């Protein structure tokens, strides 16, 4: 009699374990990981550059890892802050994974790093399903992207600990409806905080840094609505807005990408206040 094996769940569990182990390891080292997700062109690199500059001015030991399909443009920009920066080229893969992140941190991240900002690949679909061992998951959306963005990408916004709106200096010009955006965010993730920022106008700069530091100090984090009921773990499944891939038992290749869909862990250990 043949036994049906759910390969998707098998690779999911593999990444879930890697994320759990990485979170525990980095927490023990005193490092808080912030995972930044957004569409391409949202302005997350510009905001992150300002946050890194501010961290350096305050004497906070911080580092940043940025991922793209190609080019090192973002790393060059972030390196202007004077903090340790590493570029990861995914060579076509649309997201980072816990195992990838662990390998790239090995031997690179300086001892004593308090905050590690991970700028994920510009994409609100694939990265939304992957736990990187982060303590804070932030989803960013610019005022130019439309107020219905949260409804179009419910997994990304539904699993966010914090939502940041960028480029608010041009909100009036593009007729951004803030109330509608906030309502749509609350529809998919009730209670999550929405913060307005503009790197160009210096609005909201420093909020992300302060929030990440608070997490490192042991504050609590918003519990996303998509969190499952099994002991506080995320346990979401892919719906109409998510992507499908043909998964094998070990989908890794030359760049150590294990194309998997983990359940995100909502660990209470390193979290932040609302």
């Amino acid at each position: 009699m043949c036994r049906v094996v759910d390969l998707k769940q098998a690779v999911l569990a593999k990444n879930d374990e890697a994320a759990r182990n990485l979170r525990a390891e980095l927490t023990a080292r005193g490092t808080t990981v912030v995972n930044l997700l957004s569409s391409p062109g949202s302005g997350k690199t510009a905001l992150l550059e300002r946050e890194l500059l501010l961290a350096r001015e305050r004497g906070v030991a911080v580092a940043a890892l940025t991922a793209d399909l190609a080019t090192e443009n973002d790393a060059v920009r972030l390196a202007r802050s004077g903090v340790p920066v590493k570029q990861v080229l995914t060579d076509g893969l649309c997201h980072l994974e816990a195992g990838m992140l662990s390998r790239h941190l090995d031997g690179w991240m300086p001892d004593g790093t308090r905050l590690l900002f991970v700028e994920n690949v510009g994409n609100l679909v694939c990265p939304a399903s992957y736990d990187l061992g982060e303590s804070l998951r932030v989803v960013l959306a610019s005022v130019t992207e439309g107020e219905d963005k949260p409804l179009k990408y419910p997994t990304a916004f539904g699993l966010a600990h914090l939502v940041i709106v960028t480029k608010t200096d041009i909100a009036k010009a593009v007729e951004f409806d803030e109330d509608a955006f906030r309502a749509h965010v609350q529809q998919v993730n009730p209670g999550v905080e929405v913060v307005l920022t503009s790197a160009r106008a210096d609005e909201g700069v420093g909020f992300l840094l302060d929030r990440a530091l608070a997490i490192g100090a042991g504050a609590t984090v918003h519990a996303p609505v998509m969190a499952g009921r099994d002991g506080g773990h995320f346990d979401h499944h892919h719906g109409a807005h998510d992507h499908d891939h043909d998964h094998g038992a070990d989908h890794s290749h030359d760049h150590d990408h294990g194309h998997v869909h983990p359940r995100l862990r909502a660990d209470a250990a390193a979290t932040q206040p609302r």
Side-chain angles (χ1 to χ4, degrees):
M1 181 176 179
C2 294
R3 180 184 178 186
V4 178
V5 178
D6 190 337
L7 297 180
K8 186 174 183 179
Q9 290 299 315
V11 293
L12 183 154
K14 178 181 177 181
N15 189 85
D16 193 40
E17 181 181 5
R20 184 172 60 253
N21 292 339
L22 181 59
R23 182 180 292 109
E25 176 188 339
L26 292 178
T27 298
R29 292 174 59 178
T31 302
T32 300
V33 179
V34 180
N35 185 9
L36 303 176
L37 291 79
S38 78
S39 300
S42 69
K44 67 178 178 294
T45 304
L47 180 63
L48 179 54
E49 183 179 1
R50 294 297 306 278
E51 299 287 343
L52 295 178
L53 280 167
L54 185 59
R56 185 185 180 195
E57 291 173 3
R58 293 183 181 179
V60 178
V62 64
L65 183 146
T66 181
D68 276 304
L69 276 67
T71 83
E72 297 186 356
N73 295 346
D74 287 351
V76 171
R77 289 178 59 185
L78 296 179
R80 296 185 302 201
S81 66
V83 309
V85 174
K86 184 172 186 177
Q87 177 76 58
V88 174
L89 298 180
T90 65
D91 194 25
L93 191 66
C94 59
H95 60 276
L96 287 173
E97 299 165 4
M100 289 174 61
L101 179 60
S102 180
R103 287 189 292 272
H104 282 289
L105 294 181
D106 187 26
W108 168 74
M109 191 175 71
D111 292 336
T113 298
R114 289 182 62 189
L115 298 179
L116 172 66
F117 287 96
V118 178
E119 184 180 17
N120 220 313
V121 179
N123 182 347
L124 280 178
V125 181
C126 306
S129 300
Y130 292 79
D131 183 6
L132 299 183
E134 69 264 23
S135 297
L136 176 64
R137 170 172 289 215
V138 182
V139 175
L140 302 90
S142 74
V143 298
T144 63
E145 296 179 62
E147 295 81 4
D148 60 348
K149 201 80 170 185
L151 303 181
K152 291 181 176 180
Y153 300 92
T155 300
F157 284 88
L159 288 174
H161 298 125
L162 174 68
V163 174
I164 291 181
V165 179
T166 60
K167 305 184 182 182
T168 56
D169 55 301
I170 60 171
K172 185 176 181 179
V174 300
E175 299 182 343
F176 176 67
D177 188 335
E178 180 185 337
D179 290 339
F181 180 84
R182 288 181 178 274
H184 293 153
V185 170
Q186 296 306 313
Q187 187 173 334
V188 299
N189 193 349
V192 70
E193 188 170 5
V194 177
V195 179
L196 304 182
T197 68
S198 168
R200 179 174 295 180
D202 200 30
E203 178 184 1
V205 174
F207 181 91
L208 182 57
L209 175 61
D210 290 340
R211 187 56 59 90
L213 289 172
I215 291 174
T220 55
V221 73
H222 164 74
V225 69
M226 286 185 130
R229 296 179 176 84
D230 58 332
H233 298 155
F234 288 108
D235 189 13
H236 64 280
H237 303 281
H238 298 296
H241 295 277
D242 293 308
H243 60 296
D244 289 322
H245 293 287
D246 185 14
H247 298 283
D250 185 2
H251 212 85
S252 59
H253 47 76
D254 291 344
H255 294 271
D256 292 320
H257 306 149
H259 216 59
V260 296
H261 294 274
R263 291 164 297 177
L264 296 170
R265 300 277 180 180
D267 289 325
T271 53
Q272 119 181 30
R274 288 203 58 248

